[in-house]
Amino acid sequence: MPTLTPILRSDTQGRMLAALYLHPSREYRATELAGEARVSLPTILRDIDRLVEAGFIKERTSGRNRYLSVNAEHPIFEAMATVIRYAYGPLAVLPSLLAGVPGIEEAHLFGSWAARYQGVTGSDPNDIDVVAIGNADRMRIYETAGEATAILGREVNIRAVSRDAWERHSDAFLTAVKDGPLVEISLGETAA
Protein backbone atom coordinates (compact mmCIF):
# COMPACT_ATOMS: atom_id res chain seq x y z
CA MET A 1 0.00 0.00 0.00
CA PRO A 2 1.51 3.39 -0.95
CA THR A 3 2.26 5.48 2.14
CA LEU A 4 1.93 8.87 0.43
CA THR A 5 -1.42 7.99 -1.18
CA PRO A 6 -3.00 4.95 0.43
CA ILE A 7 -6.09 5.56 -1.74
CA LEU A 8 -4.18 4.06 -4.67
CA ARG A 9 -3.89 0.31 -5.02
CA SER A 10 -0.11 0.22 -5.46
CA ASP A 11 3.04 2.20 -6.19
CA THR A 12 3.04 0.55 -9.63
CA GLN A 13 -0.34 2.11 -10.37
CA GLY A 14 0.87 5.45 -8.95
CA ARG A 15 3.99 5.55 -11.13
CA MET A 16 1.94 4.68 -14.24
CA LEU A 17 -0.64 7.36 -13.44
CA ALA A 18 2.13 9.89 -12.80
CA ALA A 19 3.49 9.36 -16.29
CA LEU A 20 0.03 9.91 -17.76
CA TYR A 21 -1.30 12.73 -15.55
CA LEU A 22 1.90 14.75 -15.33
CA HIS A 23 2.52 14.54 -19.08
CA PRO A 24 -1.08 14.93 -20.32
CA SER A 25 -0.19 15.74 -23.93
CA ARG A 26 1.93 12.62 -24.36
CA GLU A 27 0.78 9.32 -25.79
CA TYR A 28 2.43 6.14 -24.49
CA ARG A 29 2.63 2.63 -25.81
CA ALA A 30 1.67 0.08 -23.17
CA THR A 31 5.29 -1.10 -22.98
CA GLU A 32 6.44 2.47 -22.25
CA LEU A 33 3.94 2.75 -19.39
CA ALA A 34 5.23 -0.53 -17.99
CA GLY A 35 8.73 0.96 -18.10
CA GLU A 36 7.56 4.11 -16.32
CA ALA A 37 5.95 1.93 -13.64
CA ARG A 38 9.10 -0.26 -13.48
CA VAL A 39 7.22 -3.52 -14.04
CA SER A 40 6.69 -6.01 -16.84
CA LEU A 41 3.96 -5.44 -19.42
CA PRO A 42 1.77 -8.34 -18.21
CA THR A 43 1.88 -6.91 -14.68
CA ILE A 44 0.44 -3.56 -15.74
CA LEU A 45 -2.07 -4.61 -18.40
CA ARG A 46 -4.88 -5.24 -15.91
CA ASP A 47 -4.50 -1.71 -14.47
CA ILE A 48 -4.45 -0.24 -17.98
CA ASP A 49 -7.58 -2.16 -18.99
CA ARG A 50 -9.46 -1.08 -15.84
CA LEU A 51 -8.54 2.57 -16.31
CA VAL A 52 -9.50 2.52 -20.01
CA GLU A 53 -12.84 0.90 -19.16
CA ALA A 54 -13.51 3.52 -16.47
CA GLY A 55 -12.66 6.37 -18.85
CA PHE A 56 -9.58 7.66 -17.04
CA ILE A 57 -7.32 6.66 -19.96
CA LYS A 58 -8.00 7.01 -23.67
CA GLU A 59 -6.65 4.47 -26.10
CA ARG A 60 -6.19 4.17 -29.81
CA THR A 61 -4.68 1.38 -31.84
CA SER A 62 -2.52 1.50 -34.90
CA GLY A 63 -1.67 -1.91 -36.28
CA ARG A 64 -0.58 -4.01 -33.33
CA ASN A 65 0.35 -0.99 -31.20
CA ARG A 66 -1.89 0.30 -28.46
CA TYR A 67 -1.44 4.01 -27.65
CA LEU A 68 -2.61 5.40 -24.31
CA SER A 69 -3.06 8.90 -22.94
CA VAL A 70 -4.81 10.46 -20.00
CA ASN A 71 -8.40 11.57 -20.53
CA ALA A 72 -8.15 15.26 -19.60
CA GLU A 73 -11.92 15.56 -20.18
CA HIS A 74 -12.74 13.13 -17.36
CA PRO A 75 -14.80 14.90 -14.65
CA ILE A 76 -12.20 14.28 -11.94
CA PHE A 77 -9.10 14.79 -14.06
CA GLU A 78 -7.93 17.85 -12.08
CA ALA A 79 -8.54 16.18 -8.71
CA MET A 80 -6.67 13.05 -9.81
CA ALA A 81 -3.81 15.13 -11.22
CA THR A 82 -3.49 16.90 -7.86
CA VAL A 83 -3.32 13.60 -5.94
CA ILE A 84 -0.84 12.07 -8.40
CA ARG A 85 1.34 15.21 -8.46
CA TYR A 86 1.44 15.18 -4.65
CA ALA A 87 2.46 11.55 -4.27
CA TYR A 88 4.38 10.66 -7.43
CA GLY A 89 5.20 14.01 -9.00
CA PRO A 90 8.81 14.21 -7.89
CA LEU A 91 9.71 10.92 -9.58
CA ALA A 92 7.76 11.83 -12.73
CA VAL A 93 8.96 15.43 -13.09
CA LEU A 94 12.48 15.65 -11.65
CA PRO A 95 14.21 13.12 -13.95
CA SER A 96 13.65 15.13 -17.12
CA LEU A 97 14.38 18.46 -15.41
CA LEU A 98 17.63 17.28 -13.81
CA ALA A 99 18.76 15.35 -16.90
CA GLY A 100 18.69 18.70 -18.71
CA VAL A 101 21.26 20.22 -16.35
CA PRO A 102 24.82 19.63 -17.59
CA GLY A 103 27.17 18.28 -14.95
CA ILE A 104 24.69 16.34 -12.81
CA GLU A 105 25.91 12.76 -12.65
CA GLU A 106 23.53 11.37 -10.04
CA ALA A 107 20.59 12.64 -7.99
CA HIS A 108 18.54 11.41 -5.03
CA LEU A 109 15.48 12.50 -3.12
CA PHE A 110 16.03 12.59 0.64
CA GLY A 111 14.26 13.86 3.73
CA SER A 112 10.60 13.52 4.58
CA TRP A 113 9.31 12.90 1.03
CA ALA A 114 11.80 10.06 0.51
CA ALA A 115 10.94 8.65 3.92
CA ARG A 116 7.18 8.62 3.23
CA TYR A 117 7.77 7.13 -0.22
CA GLN A 118 9.71 4.30 1.40
CA GLY A 119 6.95 3.64 3.90
CA VAL A 120 8.28 5.46 6.95
CA THR A 121 5.35 6.95 8.86
CA GLY A 122 5.30 10.60 9.81
CA SER A 123 3.76 13.93 8.99
CA ASP A 124 3.13 15.09 5.44
CA PRO A 125 6.24 16.35 3.68
CA ASN A 126 6.09 20.13 3.25
CA ASP A 127 8.85 20.25 0.69
CA ILE A 128 10.94 18.06 -1.56
CA ASP A 129 14.67 17.70 -0.91
CA VAL A 130 17.12 16.65 -3.62
CA VAL A 131 20.85 16.11 -3.62
CA ALA A 132 22.46 16.53 -7.06
CA ILE A 133 25.94 15.06 -7.36
CA GLY A 134 28.40 16.32 -9.92
CA ASN A 135 29.72 19.61 -11.18
CA ALA A 136 26.61 21.51 -12.27
CA ASP A 137 26.28 25.27 -12.49
CA ARG A 138 24.67 26.48 -9.25
CA MET A 139 22.53 29.09 -11.03
CA ARG A 140 21.16 26.38 -13.32
CA ILE A 141 20.40 24.24 -10.23
CA TYR A 142 18.56 27.18 -8.66
CA GLU A 143 16.51 27.75 -11.84
CA THR A 144 15.68 24.03 -12.05
CA ALA A 145 14.52 24.04 -8.42
CA GLY A 146 12.22 26.97 -9.23
CA GLU A 147 10.80 25.21 -12.26
CA ALA A 148 10.20 22.02 -10.26
CA THR A 149 8.52 24.03 -7.49
CA ALA A 150 6.14 25.60 -10.01
CA ILE A 151 5.22 22.24 -11.54
CA LEU A 152 4.90 20.28 -8.30
CA GLY A 153 3.23 22.97 -6.20
CA ARG A 154 5.64 22.38 -3.31
CA GLU A 155 9.01 23.89 -2.58
CA VAL A 156 11.82 21.88 -4.15
CA ASN A 157 15.26 22.31 -2.60
CA ILE A 158 18.19 21.03 -4.63
CA ARG A 159 21.53 20.78 -2.90
CA ALA A 160 24.42 20.51 -5.37
CA VAL A 161 27.51 18.66 -4.17
CA SER A 162 30.67 17.54 -5.89
CA ARG A 163 31.37 13.86 -6.46
CA ASP A 164 34.35 14.17 -4.09
CA ALA A 165 32.22 15.67 -1.29
CA TRP A 166 29.55 12.97 -1.78
CA GLU A 167 32.08 10.15 -1.53
CA ARG A 168 33.98 11.54 1.47
CA HIS A 169 32.58 10.98 4.92
CA SER A 170 33.72 14.28 6.43
CA ASP A 171 30.56 16.36 5.91
CA ALA A 172 28.03 15.76 8.72
CA PHE A 173 25.08 16.90 6.58
CA LEU A 174 25.91 14.55 3.69
CA THR A 175 26.55 11.68 6.11
CA ALA A 176 23.07 12.23 7.58
CA VAL A 177 21.56 12.36 4.07
CA LYS A 178 23.24 9.08 3.09
CA ASP A 179 22.22 7.41 6.36
CA GLY A 180 18.57 8.36 5.86
CA PRO A 181 16.06 7.25 3.24
CA LEU A 182 17.22 7.93 -0.31
CA VAL A 183 15.21 7.53 -3.50
CA GLU A 184 17.24 7.52 -6.69
CA ILE A 185 16.17 9.88 -9.45
CA SER A 186 16.79 8.18 -12.77
CA LEU A 187 18.69 10.52 -15.09
CA GLY A 188 18.68 8.09 -17.97
CA GLU A 189 15.65 7.69 -20.20
CA THR A 190 12.95 10.11 -19.07
CA ALA A 191 9.35 10.83 -19.91
CA ALA A 192 9.56 14.31 -21.37
Side-chain angles (χ1 to χ4, degrees), residues 9 13 45-56:
R9 195 171 60 75
Q13 184 185 53
L45 283 177
R46 191 172 16 187
D47 277 331
I48 290 172
D49 291 340
R50 263 190 237 137
L51 292 167
V52 167
E53 186 177 318
F56 287 92

Side-chain angles (χ1 to χ4, degrees), residues 36-190:
E36 292 291 332
R38 297 184 217 129
V39 295
S40 67
L41 181 60
T43 301
I44 205 164
L45 283 177
R46 191 172 16 187
D47 277 331
I48 290 172
D49 291 340
R50 263 190 237 137
L51 292 167
V52 167
E53 186 177 318
F56 287 92
I57 298 176
K58 298 184 296 186
E59 77 173 326
R60 74 174 180 85
T61 56
S62 177
R64 292 176 31 181
N65 290 318
R66 183 179 186 191
Y67 296 94
L68 304 150
S69 60
V70 70
N71 180 4
E73 303 300 316
H74 194 282
I76 64 168
F77 168 79
E78 288 298 329
M80 285 289 294
T82 298
V83 169
I84 298 302
R85 185 179 306 108
Y86 170 80
Y88 295 92
L91 288 177
V93 170
L94 289 170
S96 59
L97 291 178
L98 294 173
V101 178
I104 296 180
E105 302 166 10
E106 179 182 345
H108 302 275
L109 289 147
F110 69 94
S112 59
W113 191 92
R116 296 313 151 267
Y117 185 78
Q118 291 186 349
V120 177
T121 58
S123 60
D124 269 359
N126 293 323
D127 60 2
I128 298 162
D129 298 307
V130 177
V131 60
I133 301 139
N135 190 23
D137 177 72
R138 296 209 187 265
M139 182 52 77
R140 189 78 188 271
I141 293 282
Y142 177 78
E143 291 167 355
T144 301
E147 188 177 352
T149 296
I151 293 168
L152 296 172
R154 272 190 284 183
E155 184 178 349
V156 176
N157 305 299
I158 303 174
R159 169 100 182 237
V161 300
S162 70
R163 169 65 62 194
D164 185 50
W166 180 250
E167 290 176 355
R168 279 183 296 163
H169 298 285
S170 58
D171 184 299
F173 171 76
L174 292 179
T175 299
V177 167
K178 289 191 276 190
D179 287 345
L182 285 176
V183 177
E184 183 179 2
I185 299 171
S186 172
L187 300 179
E189 198 172 321
T190 59

